[in-house]
Amino acid sequence: MSQLLPSTESYEAQRLIELQRLEILDTPPEECFDNLTELASGIFDMPTALVSLVDDDRLWFKSRFGLEISQAGRHLSFCSYVVATAEPLIVENAQLDWRFRDSSLVTDEPCIRFYAGIPLCSPKGYVLGTLNVIDYQPRTLSDAALEHLKMLAKQAEQMLLMHGQRQQLLKDMEGKFRSSARYRAIIEGAGAGIIRTNFAGIMLEVNPSVETLLGYKPEELIGRRIEMLMPEKWACEHARYMNSYMKTGRARVIGKGREVSALHREGYEIPVHLAVSEVVYPSGQKQKESREFIGILSDLRDVYSAREREHKERALLRVLHQGLTDYHALLSGNTLWGFLKNALVELTGSQYALIGEVQSREGQPTLKVHAVTDLSWNEESKQLMAKLVSGDMQLTNPESMLGRVFAGGEVVLSNDLLNDAKQGDMPPGHPVLNRYIGVPIIDRGEVIGMYAVANADEDYDLSMVEWLQPFTSTCALLINLYRQLNHQAEFMQGLEGAREQAEQANKAKTEFLSSMSHELRTPLNSILGFAQLLQFGKDPLAQPQLCQVEQIRQSGQHLLDLINEVLDLASIESGYMHLSPQSIEVNKICAEVCELLQPMAEQYQVTLVAHPCLNERLIFADYIRVKQILLNLGSNGIKYNRLGGEVSFSCEERGKQLRIKVQDTGVGIPEEKLNLLFQPFNRLGAESGPIEGTGVGLALTHKLVTLMGGDIGVKANPEGGSEFWFELPGTDHLCALQEAAEMPESALTADVEGVHRVLYIEDNPANRSLMEAVFAELDYCALCCAPDAEQGIEKALEQPPALILMDIDLPGMCGISAQTILKNNPLTEHVPIVAVTAGVTEQERRQASTAGFAAYLTKPLDITRLTRTIRHLLSGSAQQ
Ligand code: ADP
């Protein structure tokens, strides 16, 4: 121990700490100290003996024999001197000692003359005070007496030490008492069950919460084994586990905590969190007897049920979310009902679930089961379930457990189905149902479906129905969607059927019209052809015959116009009309139409006027069809006019459209008939009049204008008569495309020298006769005929002709294939081949044009055009 030097500051500070630690200053007198001072006074025959302790600035007497005062000033005191020197001090006559003669203890009361003091030291060697004897007259102390005084001082020192130890002990005890009181308060007040056991698992202490948690009173547990609170599976392992822990220190629960089950007095298990701490008492760390365990059991039932609730809420949310977001996939994949059924099983913890839709049969509600857990028990019941789910069988009985839900709209609930009157009779073999709840799915007051679940582990109650309300509403929504989609699908199916039917009808109509047109053209070819031959033949007819022939020709022409218009109408309706839009100069086309209509106007004594469009406007449309429209409207204006009347063509701008007007000064159209004007075959009464017509022209015109994205209308002409107008999109650009140029007249009338062999391949004898009659008129040609393509090709190769006239629709090989063969043969490749056909449709024309025919003539033949074409082609071949 490093001893500080007495009288230094740090020595003094440490000394005072040691003194304080004794906790002796100002304590009441103690018998043991008082006995000591009395003994000292007696032994040394001194009037006063003291146990003095030197405090910071005073002397305090723990025991004083023969002195009244309990303390004195430290200054110039004998004891302070002992402290400063740490040596015994003997002053025989203080009045003669320079160190003390001025001390008030000497000069004043008690007027000390003799002093003998022995230092009293702390265990660490600091001088805390003295044991001293005092006399009031000078005297001496023998060495033997001094030794005795020292021995007494040793006693005093021991007593001081014991006092200090006693104080410390008291303090420790107080601390221990407090911590034990705290421990008690914690244990008693804890909400968790706390059990203290010894190393062998014997319960030593339990707190009140153990009774609340496990139902045992403390006296039923204390002294018994902890295993009685464990379920079998843990109880039988516990002893082994503890042994292993004691040996190896490997812990599963101790110091870790874990979720286990505790056994209630009633025998059921309670989920708890178990935390175990080990207490090792210092007395014998190595012995197992000194080890105890404190187990804290926290009840997890609330936590578990909250977890379960959360789990169920999540499951419900997941079902709702999937139902609402994936409904389309569920519906189209036909998995909706299975999904809802499985969701029911999961959400309600049931064994069986059923979901169905309410339908109606003869005014009574029936249930179509969409999905049900398979509870079949034999072959027969299996078939029954299959029938039920396929919808072949519907449930009808309103009195059954299900019927009361789907027909009555009730929630039907039973948790004791076996003894419940509501159950009704189950067929033998039917799985036992003990718990059941059926819930109607109601939409706007109407029961549209239901679901039922059975055999959950726990009782059903109405709060579950409430909890499932969002699910039930989602079911209602999905059933409605399902129905809507079904209706839509049925509707679409119907629509598809109708479309197919319409398409078929349309196709049949087109085929019919095209074959009709073909069939009608063949006789017309003869009628018109021969009529023309009679009119313009070498041998002129007499006037009356000429008139009759003209009648025949006009009737034939009328029939031909009708056929052409009807065919056009049909091709628009069937979508086969092909348009080639281009920029058209309005003024130019109007002038051209006027020129074409001029002969007719003269015949009807009507004047044609074309008002030029001011700034040379253009429209964007199909040239031929616009001409057809103008010819139609113009010829009507002429036909339904009066003698000396007028038909005028004009044009005005209407935004981006151009409006072309055809006005006449004729009979006009009564207001009430205007809406019938564009109906095909409706002549508005004109059929009984002298004016010839088909009743198809305006209908066709209307369709053509609409097809080109325009509009058409009619109103009364302010100058009397009618004003027909149509609008088509205008354009600023003149497109290079123009109608395929007709062959120039000069070319068609070229001279042909010599006699040329012309081969006509045609199966129809009447057509062949007509052609022979035509050629009889032409002295520069010799005609030979072949009735089919095969013979025609043979003849052509045998002796290549100057020209071939080829019918397209031939028996066996068609005219187009024959043309290809001939064009690919070096003998005939240069021979011009003209298509002579009754095929007038766009498609047929296109086919022939791609095949590379030199010209395309349609039946009935325009004889003039035929002869011009022949002449032109022969003159070409003659030049070659
Ligand atoms: P049609 O071949 O009979 O002329 P349209 O379809 O061209 O057939 O016309 C239908 C009917 O509309 C005609 O029969 C006629 O009664 C009436 N109509 C057409 N244009 C005029 C017109 N410019 N003036 C008076 N009536 C007309």
Side-chain angles (χ1 to χ4, degrees):
M1 181 174 58
S2 68
Q3 179 69 61
L4 293 163
L5 282 177
S7 83
T8 61
E9 259 180 44
S10 44
Y11 176 91
E12 176 63 10
Q14 199 55 47
R15 190 191 71 79
L16 285 172
I17 290 172
E18 292 276 305
L19 179 63
Q20 293 297 335
R21 194 172 286 153
L22 283 181
E23 293 185 15
I24 198 165
L25 292 175
D26 301 313
T27 53
E30 284 177 65
E31 207 179 344
C32 59
F33 283 102
D34 288 346
N35 286 344
L36 191 79
T37 47
E38 191 179 347
L39 185 65
S41 153
I43 291 174
F44 302 111
D45 189 24
M46 297 284 177
T48 299
L50 300 171
V51 173
S52 312
L53 296 168
V54 183
D55 198 3
D56 193 14
D57 54 359
R58 63 168 179 161
L59 301 180
W60 181 79
F61 310 123
K62 172 61 190 168
S63 178
R64 50 196 156 82
F65 185 80
L67 190 69
E68 283 303 312
I69 53 171
S70 61
Q71 60 183 15
R74 182 176 170 176
H75 183 63
L76 292 180
S77 70
F78 300 94
C79 291
S80 295
Y81 194 82
V82 176
V83 166
T85 58
E87 295 290 338
L89 171 69
I90 296 169
V91 178
E92 291 179 344
N93 187 349
Q95 274 183 316
L96 301 180
D97 194 317
W98 60 271
R99 296 172 296 186
F100 303 108
R101 66 183 170 217
D102 297 329
S103 160
S104 59
L105 293 167
V106 176
T107 56
D108 297 327
E109 280 298 322
C111 300
I112 294 173
R113 292 295 174 266
F114 175 83
Y115 176 89
I118 309 296
L120 296 175
C121 294
S122 74
K124 290 183 182 166
Y126 292 97
V127 181
L128 304 176
T130 63
L131 170 70
N132 57 68
V133 286
I134 290 170
D135 204 343
Y136 303 102
Q137 54 197 354
R139 60 185 287 179
T140 56
L141 194 69
S142 67
D143 289 346
L146 180 62
E147 282 311 309
H148 287 146
L149 189 60
K150 281 182 183 172
M151 284 163 72
L152 281 182
K154 272 277 164 259
Q155 282 298 314
E157 242 175 34
Q158 280 301 316
M159 278 154 62
L160 282 176
L161 183 71
M162 274 168 65
H163 178 91
Q165 284 173 344
R166 198 171 60 238
Q167 287 307 106
Q168 190 56 45
L169 216 59
L170 280 173
K171 249 198 211 148
D172 289 353
M173 275 172 65
E174 169 78 9
K176 290 223 165 73
F177 177 78
R178 280 172 184 242
S179 83
S180 126
R182 277 199 293 270
Y183 168 78
R184 209 83 332 266
I186 292 169
I187 299 276
E188 299 291 312
I194 300 176
I195 302 172
R196 184 162 63 88
T197 66
N198 68 7
F199 71 97
I202 303 293
M203 287 180 272
L204 304 173
E205 184 184 2
V206 296
N207 76 342
S209 288
V210 172
E211 185 180 351
T212 321
L213 182 67
L214 303 176
Y216 288 103
K217 290 189 180 314
E219 56 271 26
E220 291 176 297
L221 298 174
I222 290 170
R224 302 187 60 193
R225 300 189 65 80
I226 189 75
E227 283 92 332
M228 69 180 280
L229 300 178
M230 297 178 187
E232 185 63 26
K233 59 179 175 202
W234 283 312
C236 60
E237 274 206 7
H238 184 251
R240 201 159 50 82
Y241 162 66
M242 283 308 290
N243 263 338
S244 134
Y245 174 69
M246 291 294 191
K247 279 192 202 133
T248 64
R250 270 200 296 277
R252 269 196 317 224
V253 181
I254 298 164
K256 294 179 175 173
R258 109 184 224 198
E259 288 181 15
V260 295
S261 291
L263 204 57
H264 190 273
R265 193 174 193 272
E266 303 293 329
Y268 58 86
E269 293 183 18
I270 296 171
V272 290
H273 179 272
L274 172 64
V276 179
S277 319
E278 187 178 359
V279 187
V280 179
Y281 294 109
S283 48
Q285 284 174 8
K286 293 266 152 55
Q287 294 156 11
K288 57 183 180 178
E289 288 77 7
S290 67
R291 296 161 82 164
E292 285 183 0
F293 298 94
I294 294 178
I296 303 174
L297 300 153
S298 312
D299 190 350
L300 291 181
R301 278 174 296 187
D302 283 352
V303 176
Y304 273 35
S305 67
R307 265 188 220 165
E308 199 172 323
R309 265 203 312 280
E310 189 194 320
H311 177 77
K312 284 174 82 175
E313 295 295 340
R314 271 175 193 277
L316 179 62
L317 273 174
R318 190 172 43 72
V319 167
L320 298 183
H321 179 259
Q322 196 183 344
L324 292 173
T325 51
D326 285 2
Y327 75 92
H328 213 271
L330 290 169
L331 288 170
S332 56
N334 224 1
T335 50
L336 172 70
W337 304 106
F339 163 75
L340 293 177
K341 180 203 74 182
N342 294 342
L344 273 171
V345 167
E346 187 195 339
L347 293 177
T348 62
S350 302
Q351 205 179 346
Y352 303 115
L354 164 150
I355 184 156
E357 186 192 353
V358 174
Q359 296 186 337
S360 162
R361 191 182 289 166
E362 291 159 10
Q364 295 305 310
T366 61
L367 184 69
K368 178 177 187 314
V369 175
H370 280 297
V372 57
T373 315
D374 186 2
L375 36 68
S376 60
W377 58 96
N378 58 18
E379 198 45 46
E380 194 189 344
S381 60
K382 199 175 241 159
Q383 283 173 8
L384 204 72
M385 296 224 39
K387 256 174 104 178
L388 206 60
V389 177
S390 69
D392 289 350
M393 188 180 139
Q394 299 207 359
L395 302 177
T396 51
N397 180 6
E399 303 302 326
S400 69
M401 291 288 282
L402 293 169
R404 289 174 48 204
V405 185
F406 74 78
E410 280 180 60
V411 171
V412 177
L413 166 67
S414 171
N415 285 312
D416 185 15
L417 210 55
L418 289 175
N419 299 314
D420 203 320
K422 287 184 266 189
Q423 186 188 14
D425 283 338
M426 291 279 177
H430 191 290
V432 174
L433 299 185
N434 44 38
R435 297 186 177 98
Y436 166 90
I437 188 165
V439 180
I441 300 170
I442 298 175
D443 178 51
R444 282 161 288 178
E446 187 197 342
V447 183
I448 59 168
M450 72 160 288
Y451 59 80
V453 286
N455 289 14
D457 288 341
E458 286 168 20
D459 280 358
Y460 296 119
D461 60 20
L462 291 176
S463 68
M464 188 182 84
V465 179
E466 204 173 305
W467 178 72
L468 280 172
Q469 189 50 51
F471 173 82
T472 316
S473 305
T474 307
C475 285
L477 196 78
L478 291 171
I479 290 177
N480 277 332
L481 277 170
Y482 171 80
R483 288 180 170 178
Q484 266 178 26
L485 284 180
N486 271 1
H487 283 159
Q488 203 178 338
E490 274 169 27
F491 179 72
M492 291 304 283
Q493 230 171 7
L495 217 61
E496 183 62 20
R499 199 175 63 85
E500 265 170 30
Q501 258 180 3
E503 256 175 23
Q504 290 218 331
N506 217 4
K507 205 168 152 213
K509 189 172 92 181
T510 311
E511 279 167 7
F512 170 75
L513 284 170
S514 130
S515 79
M516 272 289 286
S517 137
H518 201 268
E519 294 307 311
L520 288 170
R521 274 166 195 277
T522 309
L524 268 176
N525 193 36
S526 300
I527 297 169
L528 283 170
F530 283 113
Q532 287 174 78
L533 276 178
L534 287 172
Q535 278 181 318
F536 311 113
K538 277 183 191 160
D539 308 318
L541 294 178
Q543 194 55 38
Q545 279 90 22
L546 263 181
C547 288
Q548 289 159 4
V549 169
E550 175 56 17
Q551 279 294 319
I552 296 172
R553 197 195 62 78
Q554 276 186 16
S555 305
Q557 189 58 50
H558 177 65
L559 201 55
L560 184 61
D561 289 345
L562 183 65
I563 293 167
N564 285 339
E565 284 179 343
V566 167
L567 211 63
D568 274 351
L569 210 59
S571 30
I572 292 177
E573 278 170 2
S574 355
Y576 293 137
M577 171 73 74
H578 176 76
L579 293 176
S580 315
Q582 61 184 85
S583 308
I584 302 167
E585 291 170 73
V586 178
N587 287 344
K588 208 167 153 190
I589 198 164
C590 285
E592 203 174 314
V593 167
C594 282
E595 204 181 314
L596 286 169
L597 288 173
Q598 193 53 41
M600 185 182 178
E602 279 166 18
Q603 191 191 338
Y604 283 83
Q605 297 182 24
V606 169
T607 316
L608 292 180
V609 185
H611 296 291
C613 183
L614 279 178
N615 33 7
E616 296 286 339
R617 293 311 313 262
L618 305 171
I619 49 171
F620 192 69
D622 184 298
Y623 189 88
I624 295 180
R625 298 304 172 186
V626 174
K627 202 156 114 184
Q628 193 175 353
I629 292 165
L630 285 167
L631 284 171
N632 250 330
L633 297 178
S635 61
N636 276 354
I638 298 170
K639 280 197 296 185
Y640 302 105
N641 219 314
R642 55 182 169 76
L643 277 183
E646 187 184 285
V647 175
S648 67
F649 295 84
S650 61
C651 165
E652 66 186 37
E653 288 186 47
R654 290 245 162 178
K656 289 186 174 166
Q657 308 271 95
L658 280 189
R659 176 177 279 205
I660 300 174
K661 293 191 283 188
V662 182
Q663 290 168 286
D664 67 64
T665 52
V667 291
I669 302 158
E671 186 82 28
E672 68 277 10
K673 289 190 176 171
L674 284 177
N675 59 337
L676 308 171
L677 205 56
F678 299 106
Q679 286 180 354
F681 303 108
N682 197 336
R683 296 202 63 210
L684 313 181
E687 58 276 17
S688 54
I691 305 166
E692 277 190 354
T694 58
V696 181
L698 280 183
L700 179 60
T701 302
H702 185 273
K703 286 227 180 319
L704 286 172
V705 172
T706 317
L707 194 65
M708 290 189 285
D711 205 0
I712 184 167
V714 64
K715 61 180 187 179
N717 184 1
E719 288 153 37
S722 324
E723 176 187 316
F724 280 85
W725 59 263
F726 64 96
E727 285 175 5
L728 288 170
T731 178
D732 294 332
H733 307 288
L734 183 59
C735 189
L737 266 171
Q738 287 291 340
E739 190 186 10
E742 301 259 319
M743 284 183 218
E745 194 68 8
S746 57
L748 291 170
T749 51
D751 271 343
V752 185
E753 286 172 17
V755 176
H756 300 272
R757 240 183 103 249
V758 176
L759 173 63
Y760 181 34
I761 306 174
E762 165 67 80
D763 61 319
N764 186 300
N767 289 342
R768 286 204 302 268
S769 313
L770 172 66
M771 197 57 85
E772 278 161 4
V774 172
F775 272 79
E777 303 275 323
L778 306 176
D779 44 16
Y780 52 89
C781 297
L783 184 74
C784 75
C785 294
D788 55 46
E790 290 79 359
Q791 292 186 48
I793 293 170
E794 208 179 303
K795 283 194 174 170
L797 294 176
E798 224 171 68
Q799 188 183 354
L803 178 71
I804 298 174
L805 302 173
M806 174 86 79
D807 183 21
I808 302 284
D809 189 18
L810 288 166
M813 187 190 294
C814 75
I816 293 181
S817 309
Q819 187 259 5
T820 315
I821 292 172
L822 292 169
K823 279 287 157 200
N824 287 326
N825 194 305
L827 286 175
T828 47
E829 65 185 353
H830 61 278
V831 180
I833 305 177
V834 176
V836 181
T837 172
V840 290
T841 62
E842 286 287 328
Q843 198 192 357
E844 287 165 321
R845 277 177 189 277
R846 271 204 299 278
Q847 234 182 342
S849 122
T850 15
F853 281 94
Y856 191 85
L857 299 174
T858 56
K859 295 177 198 162
L861 287 166
D862 178 335
I863 306 294
T864 320
R865 192 176 161 86
L866 168 71
T867 51
R868 277 187 194 159
T869 309
I870 294 170
R871 179 180 280 272
H872 166 69
L873 290 172
L874 288 180
S875 72
S877 70
Q879 281 158 22
Q880 276 175 1

